[in-house]
Amino acid sequence: GQNIDQPTEMTATEGAIVQINCTYQTSGFNGLFWYQQHAGEAPTFLSYNVLDGLEEKGRFSSFLSRSKGYSYLLLKELQMKDSASYLCARGSQGNLIFGKGTKLSVKP
Amino acid sequence: ETGVTQTPRHLVMGMTNKKSLKCEQHLGHNAMYWYKQSAKKPLELMFVYSLEERVENNSVPSRFSPECPNSSHLFLHLHTLQPEDSALYLCASSLDPDREKFFGPGTRLTVL
């Protein structure tokens, strides 16, 4: 996905915390987006970071370091319904360049 | 209706058929997009329309032809497709090209 790297799969336990990392090519960077996609459904927008630091939104938080080309999505108090693919996407010249996504499986 | 809607949700077509995918957004957005999602590949941007003008065509074969008659509607006309074109085709919209995209439910296309 044009130099956007994220793990292919992760497994975590219900109630736990999981961190999904994403590294990206920094040239032409214009914001970092995270989307959630359940199997057979459309991606839904989770978060947007354009400045360094942590953005918290309920159980989900997203972090960005522009100098390192690095972001992570933090999911707390995991629930079974959080089992989905999480897509990291880099904004570039008005478009989104997506990674291949991380498939998260939440186990009881 | 709210959000981004797409029809049909599923489509099976032969290689000689002509069909069209339709997308409608009810969000008052100014930019609309077509994305292709194939198995085990990242979402691929196909076309971008901003204020009804095509601003990007990402080296998409001419058998895919977009049309944006107004800021709320987007079509993807399909003609003589190949089996490898089978994929989920997602429409999206955004307030402007730099803002988050909102996706429709997609059309699952199978080319026989």
Side-chain angles (χ1 to χ4, degrees), chain B residues 14-30:
Chain B
M15 289 191 283
T16 58
N17 292 157
K18 285 185 184 180
K19 296 287 184 183
S20 295
L21 310 185
K22 179 182 175 183
C23 175
E24 186 172 357
Q25 59 96 0
H26 310 269
L27 300 168
H29 288 168
N30 296 312

Side-chain angles (χ1 to χ4, degrees), chain B residues 14 23 26 39 42 46 48 58-59 61 75 87 96 108 111:
Chain B
C23 175
H26 310 269
M46 299 176 73
V48 182
N58 248 13
S59 303
F75 295 90
D96 65 58
R108 173 68 62 185
V111 182

Side-chain angles (χ1 to χ4, degrees), chain A residues 1 30 33 35 37 40-43 45 48 87 93-96 98-100, chain B residues 33 35 37 40 42-43 45 48 56 88 90 97-101 103-105:
Chain A
N30 188 21
F33 298 79
Y35 283 80
Q37 186 175 25
E41 298 182 14
F45 170 73
Y48 169 57
L87 311 178
Q93 298 178 316
N95 298 322
L96 282 182
F98 283 87
K100 291 185 178 181
Chain B
Y33 312 80
Y35 283 86
Q37 189 172 38
K40 298 186 179 178
L43 272 162
L45 179 66
V48 182
E56 181 144 349
L88 181 67
L90 290 160
D98 289 326
R99 298 286 295 272
E100 63 270 24
K101 277 62 171 174
F103 287 85

Side-chain angles (χ1 to χ4, degrees), chain A residues 78-93:
Chain A
L78 279 174
Q79 302 175 10
M80 299 300 290
K81 67 178 182 179
D82 297 330
S83 293
S85 287
Y86 290 86
L87 311 178
C88 174
R90 172 172 70 90
S92 176
Q93 298 178 316

